[in-house]
């Protein structure tokens, strides 16, 4: 099947097949100022920061954009209340400043306000203690121009009105405060596509296999292999940035200088249908080791997270039955009607890269980032919080460019909106008109705006050209077929898993984990990528095997057996395991 020519448009921010072909040619012929390894949010942030300073930049990723930690977080943009309790005021203040920037300027289409209720179970002392912490949280936020409502104290009746599902027997009142939420995978994708719009050469399915060095031992680029074709590349760069998260040590070992131990901490989240919990607000509660969030997520709730050591497979961390039971037991301490495993429609697990600290408990290891020179020509960044990705990227590029010589401008990303941000408010104000013009419902338009911002015009252009693409994805009314097609044309999706797991979240938002949607999406991807029927069948078979392996892993009682079950479905990328 030949690739479709009906792409309607090709823009500088598009990551379609034609752009990939040009990128691979650049890899064969160019020397870049900077080459970034890893397309998580920090790596994408580094690429954007460097390119917006006028540098030539390449970025390679062994799997998909945001395939690791950056698509499996709690999906919060926040300062972190528990870091206040650890007296880490600098980290909280920095994160709250970034939260304000994202809401007001950088990504208002992707980052939105959310309210959390802290239910009080003890009289007087708990209200004073928690209230003082949340007051300080708001105070620190105000130093960065906080756009969100301040906290408020609630009586037992007031707390129950916000979350009717709370168990009154242990409830004495509540405190409600504001934070923000993001679809992490789509935000990371927006950072990467904004970088592409500024000239960054981006290739996913590109595994680094070694480092290039000159006669003096300086790193001068990377050896890499395309996991789609098997082709090998030597990509030249004046400086390399290692932004690989939990894979940090692997690149340092290639450099022969393992400087900092990066610990992987597993966090899992449950996805629950909205009707299982009656609430107008999110919720945060204490657990024996950390905190637990109940987070509104479209027609669902997210419940998470855990925080435990993980030293097994890094690509596909597995959630065990023990993890699921733990989260259910903790949330059930405050609910009048307990949840069971039968209420869980989706589960996802991710790994946080933490810099080893003084405690064996991963919940107490450092969430602050570190930047260091691993070897001449190679800078490494690791640790940190999703919320502060932009600061991490700025610090990393500042360190890297000292090696390049010349006068290189300072970072401008604090004033650089991501794609889809400019014009978003105008399109939001026109949502009724857009619905009438397109034939979609106003609710569909609002959801599209929340994922694509002002780039909704590109989705609607597809619908106008091909009205059948206005149909919802099978199994979910939250996405339309045009988004799956667009993911392949413009958002760099190379495999069915990329669309169902990261461009959309249907893999955890439906009871069948997206299997029915896959049957509709694969033929659309085939039009763009030139798949034949055998390739379509292979993609569908892989996706179904992945779903079954994940379901099987979630029946196992411990990490080792869950990991073994999950590895029953290998990575779809040609050379991967």
């Amino acid at each position: 099947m030949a690739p479709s020519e009906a792409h309607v448009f090709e823009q500088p921010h598009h990551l379609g097949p034609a752009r990939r072909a040009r990128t691979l040619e650049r890899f064969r012929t160019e020397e870049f100022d900077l080459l970034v390894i890893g397309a998580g949010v920090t790596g994408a942030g580094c690429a954007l920061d460097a390119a917006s300073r006028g540098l030539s930049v390449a970025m390679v990723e062994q799997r998909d954009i945001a395939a690791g930690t950056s698509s499996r977080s709690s999906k919060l943009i926040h300062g972190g209340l528990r870091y206040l309790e650890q007296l880490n005021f600098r980290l909280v203040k920095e994160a709250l400043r970034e939260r304000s920037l994202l809401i007001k300027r950088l990504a208002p289409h992707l980052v939105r306000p959310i309210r959390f209720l802290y239910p009080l179970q003890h009289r007087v002392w708990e209200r004073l203690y928690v209230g003082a912490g949340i007051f300080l949280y708001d105070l620190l936020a105000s130093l960065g121009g906080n756009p969100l409502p301040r906290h408020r104290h609630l009586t037992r009746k007031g707390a129950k009105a916000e979350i009717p599902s709370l168990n009154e027997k242990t409830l004495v009142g509540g405190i409600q405060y504001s934070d923000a939420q993001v679809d992490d995978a789509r935000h990371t994708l927006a950072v990467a596509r904004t970088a592409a719009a500024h000239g960054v050469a981006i290739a996913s399915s590109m595994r680094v296999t070694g480092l290039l060095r000159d006669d003096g031992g300086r790193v001068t680029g990377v050896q890499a292999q395309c996991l789609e074709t098997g082709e090998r590349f030597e990509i030249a760069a004046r400086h390399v940035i290692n932004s690989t998260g939990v894979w940090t040590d692997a690149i340092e070992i290639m450099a022969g200088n393992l400087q900092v131990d990066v610990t992987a901490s597993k966090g899992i989240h449950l996805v629950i249908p909205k009707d299982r919990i009656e609430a107008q607000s999110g919720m945060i509660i204490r657990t024996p080791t950390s905190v637990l969030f109940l987070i509104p997520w479209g027609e669902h709730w997210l419940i998470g997270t855990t925080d435990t050591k993980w030293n097994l497979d890094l690509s596909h961390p597995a959630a065990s039955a023990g993890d699921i039971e733990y989260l259910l037991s903790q949330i059930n301490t405050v609910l009048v009607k307990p949840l069971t495993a039968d209420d869980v429609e989706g589960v996802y697990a991710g790994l946080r890269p933490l810099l080893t600290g003084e405690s064996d408990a991963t919940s107490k290891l450092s969430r602050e980032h570190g930047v260091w020179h691993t070897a001449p020509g190679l800078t490494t960044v690791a640790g940190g919080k999703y919320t502060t990705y932009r600061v991490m990227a700025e610090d990393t590029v500042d360190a890297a460019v000292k090696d390049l010589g010349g006068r290189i401008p300072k970072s401008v990303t604090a004033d650089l909106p991501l794609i889809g941000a400019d014009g978003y408010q105008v399109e939001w104000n026109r949502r009724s008109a857009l619905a009438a013009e397109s034939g979609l419902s106003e609710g569909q338009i609002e959801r599209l705006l929340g994922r694509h911002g002002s780039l909704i015009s590109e989705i609607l252009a597809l619908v106008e050209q091909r009205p059948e693409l206005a149909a919802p994805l099978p199994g979910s009314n939250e996405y339309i077929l045009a988004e799956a097609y667009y993911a392949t044309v413009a958002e760099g999706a190379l495999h069915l898993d990329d669309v169902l797991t990261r461009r959309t979240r249907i893999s955890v938002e439906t009871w069948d984990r997206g299997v029915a949607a896959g049957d509709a999406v694969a033929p659309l991807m085939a039009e763009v990528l030139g798949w034949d029927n055998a390739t379509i069948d292979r993609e569908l078979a892989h996706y179904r095997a992945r779903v079954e392996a994940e379901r099987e892993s979630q029946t196992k009682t411990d990490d080792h057996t869950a990991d073994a079950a999950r590895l029953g479905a290998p990575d779809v990328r040609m050379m991967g395991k």
Side-chain angles (χ1 to χ4, degrees):
M1 186 181 298
S4 170
E5 297 300 325
H7 291 179
V8 184
F9 38 67
E10 185 174 346
Q11 301 292 337
H13 55 262
H14 285 184
L15 296 174
R19 175 67 173 264
R20 181 179 178 86
R22 293 195 297 272
T23 292
L24 297 186
E25 183 57 32
R26 291 181 67 186
F27 286 176
R28 297 182 188 102
T29 58
E30 286 187 33
E31 179 188 42
F32 297 89
D33 292 323
L34 282 179
L35 185 148
V36 181
I37 309 172
V41 71
T42 306
C46 288
L48 175 58
D49 187 286
S52 60
R53 300 186 195 208
L55 300 175
S56 63
V57 183
M59 180 169 67
V60 295
E61 162 60 44
Q62 65 177 338
R63 295 171 64 215
D64 183 26
I65 295 168
T69 305
S70 295
S71 60
R72 308 182 196 187
S73 73
S74 293
K75 314 197 187 311
L76 296 177
I77 297 294
H78 65 145
L81 274 176
R82 65 174 164 148
Y83 307 132
L84 277 184
E85 197 167 35
Q86 298 170 4
L87 304 181
N88 197 337
F89 302 116
R90 190 200 64 78
L91 176 61
V92 175
K93 180 182 176 183
E94 179 178 81
L96 290 172
R97 184 184 68 241
E98 291 302 304
R99 185 188 72 179
S100 294
L101 268 177
L102 285 161
I103 293 172
K104 293 192 296 185
R105 184 181 311 157
L106 305 185
H109 56 311
L110 299 173
V111 180
R112 54 191 62 88
I114 187 174
R115 299 281 274 172
F116 285 106
L117 176 73
Y118 186 106
L120 299 171
Q121 298 179 309
H122 305 279
R123 298 186 184 279
V124 185
W125 74 263
E126 190 179 24
R127 187 179 290 276
L128 289 173
Y129 181 75
V130 176
I134 294 177
F135 173 82
L136 181 57
Y137 194 67
D138 277 349
L139 180 63
L140 291 172
S142 69
L143 300 177
N146 184 22
L148 302 181
R150 295 177 64 83
H151 73 281
R152 59 178 185 151
H153 285 258
L154 300 174
T155 62
R156 183 194 313 195
K157 182 179 179 181
K160 185 75 171 172
E162 286 292 319
I163 305 181
S165 288
L166 280 174
N167 188 343
E168 270 188 287
K169 292 180 180 179
T170 58
L171 183 68
V172 299
I175 304 175
Q176 193 175 49
Y177 72 98
S178 298
D179 247 321
Q181 180 179 61
V182 70
D183 183 328
D184 48 6
R186 291 211 60 84
H187 170 261
T188 299
L189 178 66
V191 177
R193 294 177 69 204
T194 307
H198 289 274
V200 176
I202 299 173
S204 59
S205 287
M206 186 67 65
R207 175 175 293 163
V208 170
T209 57
L211 300 175
L212 301 176
R213 295 178 184 268
D214 63 16
D215 292 341
R218 177 183 175 83
V219 174
T220 58
V222 302
Q223 298 167 328
Q225 184 172 21
C226 175
L227 301 187
E228 300 301 317
T229 65
E231 182 180 356
R232 295 184 180 274
F233 293 82
E234 291 192 348
I235 309 171
R238 296 171 63 203
H239 198 95
V240 175
I241 290 175
N242 172 18
S243 179
T244 53
V246 294
W247 286 272
T248 296
D249 292 357
I251 302 299
E252 291 215 302
I253 289 169
M254 287 182 190
N257 187 14
L258 182 58
Q259 288 192 20
V260 177
D261 187 18
V262 177
T263 299
S265 169
K266 184 180 72 169
I268 83 149
H269 293 78
L270 310 180
V271 184
I272 307 290
K274 197 80 169 198
D275 61 8
R276 299 304 195 270
I277 300 173
E278 187 179 358
Q280 311 302 317
S281 170
M283 180 167 57
I284 179 175
I285 64 172
R286 283 186 177 276
T287 69
T289 59
S290 186
V291 295
L292 186 75
F293 287 100
L294 173 71
I295 306 167
W297 183 254
E299 296 304 311
H300 318 271
W301 296 102
L302 304 181
I303 298 174
T305 181
T306 57
D307 203 343
T308 56
K309 284 184 178 179
W310 180 265
N311 55 14
L312 301 169
D313 183 69
L314 297 179
S315 296
H316 304 291
S320 68
D323 293 326
I324 295 169
E325 289 167 8
Y326 171 79
L327 288 183
L328 291 174
S329 70
Q330 294 302 311
I331 196 69
N332 284 340
T333 62
V334 297
L335 296 180
V336 66
K337 182 181 178 183
L339 298 171
T340 72
D342 291 338
D343 295 310
V344 178
E345 60 183 336
V347 182
Y348 64 92
L351 300 177
R352 305 179 191 90
L354 305 178
L355 306 184
T356 299
E358 69 285 350
S359 170
D360 286 337
T362 60
S363 61
K364 295 182 180 178
L365 295 183
S366 177
R367 258 64 177 182
E368 295 192 65
H369 66 277
V371 178
W372 62 95
H373 292 293
T374 301
L378 176 63
T379 297
T380 297
V381 56
K385 284 165 51 64
Y386 191 101
T387 302
T388 57
Y389 81 93
R390 193 197 63 80
V391 175
M392 295 166 63
E394 180 178 338
D395 289 349
T396 305
V397 176
D398 281 346
V401 298
K402 291 177 182 178
D403 201 32
L404 298 182
R407 294 190 61 184
I408 295 173
K410 292 182 178 180
S411 176
V412 298
T413 54
D415 295 304
L416 181 59
L418 301 184
I419 58 165
D422 284 338
Y424 160 70
Q425 192 60 55
V426 173
E427 298 293 359
W428 179 261
N429 294 341
R430 294 187 63 247
R431 61 192 184 279
S432 295
L434 290 174
E437 293 165 6
S438 66
L440 298 174
S441 71
E442 191 165 329
Q444 287 177 307
I445 293 294
E446 290 178 356
R447 288 191 289 272
L448 288 170
L449 284 166
R451 288 192 287 271
H452 304 276
S454 57
L455 296 185
I456 189 175
S457 60
E458 298 183 357
I459 304 292
L460 297 183
L462 284 172
V463 171
E464 182 178 11
Q465 185 189 52
R466 296 179 57 178
E468 72 274 13
L469 295 182
L473 285 179
S476 173
N477 290 321
E478 297 184 53
Y479 307 96
I480 61 174
L481 290 172
E483 291 180 272
Y485 187 85
Y486 182 77
T488 319
V489 169
E491 295 181 337
L494 298 177
H495 294 280
L496 185 58
D497 183 66
D498 300 345
V499 175
L500 299 181
T501 305
R502 286 170 291 277
R503 305 308 183 274
T504 72
R505 294 313 183 96
I506 201 167
S507 67
V508 293
E509 293 176 348
T510 59
W511 292 104
D512 74 345
R513 308 286 175 94
V515 169
D519 292 334
V521 171
L524 291 176
M525 297 186 72
E527 294 180 26
V528 181
L529 298 174
W531 293 348
D532 58 19
N533 289 334
T535 305
I536 293 174
D537 291 343
R538 185 166 59 248
E539 288 283 326
L540 289 169
H542 171 270
Y543 186 78
R544 291 170 187 145
R546 197 210 85 173
V547 168
E548 288 307 310
E550 287 185 347
R551 288 189 187 277
E552 178 68 14
S553 71
Q554 292 155 19
T555 68
K556 304 302 182 183
T557 57
D558 61 81
D559 283 350
H560 282 86
T561 54
D563 177 66
R566 176 60 185 88
L567 292 179
D571 197 294
V572 68
R573 282 162 168 80
M574 186 185 92
M575 307 297 293
K577 292 185 178 179

